[in-house]
Amino acid sequence: MGKRAVRKRLVGVAGLLVVLAVVLAGCADDASAPPRGIVIGSSDQPAMRVMAEVYAGALRNAGSVVSADQLRGDTQTLLGEMDRTALDLFPAFTGELLTLLAPSSTAVGAEDVYTDVNRSLPQGVSVGDETPVSAAPQIFVSTTLAGDVEATDLDDCARLPAGLPVIAVSRPDDATERAFADAGCRFGPVELVATSDEVLSRAAAGTAVGVLTPLDIAGEDADGASSEVQALRNSAGGGDTADNPPAGAPPSEAASAPESGPRAEVLVPVFRSAAFGRDQVKTMNKVAGEITTADLATMAARVEAGADPRDVALAWLGEHGL
């Protein structure tokens, strides 16, 4: 073989080596590329969409890489995505989680529900600190009617006239209706209306009762504080109203009071344990220490009116130093 042929072959081999080096360098760059970031999801409800953005923004502001994409679905779907490691975090209510994960659980109060949720979660999935945000259904009645029959708590429900229609924005589930019946309520048929204001207006007339959650009536524009209606206090409601004893009741009486009413529904972050370090969990828990039912209700109303959930969440995070 001549020297010229050998030289050409060597040049060809050298070219192949250069190409191979470029390919290997590309692989090395892929290996060292930043991770996909924390993937956050939520249901389609305005409150859950904005809450997902609150967690996303807080984590970003604390230095975490968070994916711009979010997953949507019900609780079962989101847990399935978490099992596939395609999802790392989503907000949820403890009562809904427990009903899905452990239908036979008899836990009612906020603390017991949280404990049972922790026991029932799939391996590798955790919940963070409870927020004060509550979505447990409550009964609203005319203040005049409540005074006439001396009804202040859900356990006084039997004192209300039998057959009063139930006014709500969405039909109470079977478990909620059973809980009210077990407390002695003797309600008539359910009538659905479009807004919380309509529910409260009908209840204020004294010819019906309203069923709403604290999240339905809280917020800067809410009429829930109207003197014409009052909620029958629910010992197991959770969140802002969780396990609160009657005003002036001694601690011993509060501790021994039976839990009644629908199962507690307290907002928590559900997350894939392997995706979060200690500092990131602390960031989530800081959110729990700042958010309130009124805050989330106000933000959800803005989203429902057309505001971008991320913009609304970022404004709240800025106001709270997160």
Side-chain angles (χ1 to χ4, degrees):
M1 181 181 296
K3 292 182 178 179
R4 181 173 297 178
V6 171
R7 188 178 295 113
K8 287 183 178 179
R9 180 166 294 182
L10 289 174
V11 170
V13 171
L16 288 173
L17 290 174
V18 170
V19 172
L20 181 60
V22 171
V23 171
L24 290 174
C27 292
D29 287 343
D30 289 343
S32 60
R36 61 176 169 80
I38 295 168
V39 179
I40 297 179
S42 76
S43 72
D44 285 321
Q45 296 174 337
M48 296 294 96
R49 289 172 59 202
V50 74
M51 197 65 214
E53 293 290 357
V54 165
Y55 283 120
L59 288 164
R60 282 195 194 98
N61 292 344
S64 296
V65 177
V66 180
S67 173
D69 298 326
Q70 290 195 7
L71 299 180
R72 294 280 180 266
D74 59 21
T75 301
Q76 188 164 14
T77 297
L78 295 173
L79 283 172
E81 293 297 322
M82 195 166 278
D83 184 58
R84 294 174 50 240
T85 70
L87 177 67
D88 301 312
L89 168 69
F90 68 93
F93 285 100
T94 53
E96 292 180 8
L97 281 169
L98 188 57
T99 299
L100 174 64
L101 297 170
S104 62
S105 171
T106 58
V108 174
E111 184 176 347
D112 290 339
V113 170
Y114 184 78
T115 298
D116 277 12
V117 165
N118 268 305
R119 291 172 179 164
S120 306
L121 285 167
Q123 186 173 6
V125 178
S126 303
V127 290
D129 283 0
E130 291 177 292
T131 71
V133 178
S134 171
Q138 290 180 288
I139 295 171
F140 287 81
V141 299
S142 158
T143 302
T144 301
L145 174 60
D148 289 343
V149 300
E150 298 183 346
T152 57
D153 300 329
L154 183 58
D155 292 337
D156 300 327
C157 195
R159 299 178 183 179
L160 298 174
L164 290 175
V166 176
I167 313 301
V169 293
S170 60
R171 183 170 293 278
D173 60 26
D174 291 343
T176 296
E177 292 187 347
R178 283 197 303 271
F180 289 151
D182 290 345
C185 302
R186 302 166 295 162
F187 295 145
V190 175
E191 298 178 21
L192 300 183
V193 295
T195 68
S196 299
D197 286 346
E198 291 180 69
V199 173
L200 295 174
S201 177
R202 290 284 301 277
T207 56
V209 299
V211 173
L212 294 168
T213 74
L215 193 56
D216 289 329
I217 63 167
E220 58 187 22
D221 298 322
D223 292 329
S226 170
S227 61
E228 297 179 347
V229 292
Q230 71 180 60
L232 296 185
R233 194 162 34 212
N234 177 1
S235 69
D240 287 336
T241 59
D243 307 329
N244 287 333
S252 58
E253 179 181 336
S256 61
E259 294 171 330
S260 61
R263 175 174 282 168
E265 297 283 0
V266 182
L267 184 70
V268 291
V270 183
F271 63 94
R272 197 166 59 85
S273 307
F276 291 86
R278 181 178 300 176
D279 289 343
Q280 292 165 317
V281 173
K282 285 182 179 179
T283 297
M284 286 190 287
N285 292 342
K286 286 180 182 178
V287 170
E290 294 289 334
I291 193 75
T292 66
T293 302
D295 287 345
L296 186 53
T298 297
M299 290 191 287
R302 292 173 184 168
V303 171
E304 195 162 10
D308 184 276
R310 180 169 297 184
D311 292 341
V312 174
L314 288 177
W316 182 88
L317 289 165
E319 293 169 1
H320 293 264
L322 294 171

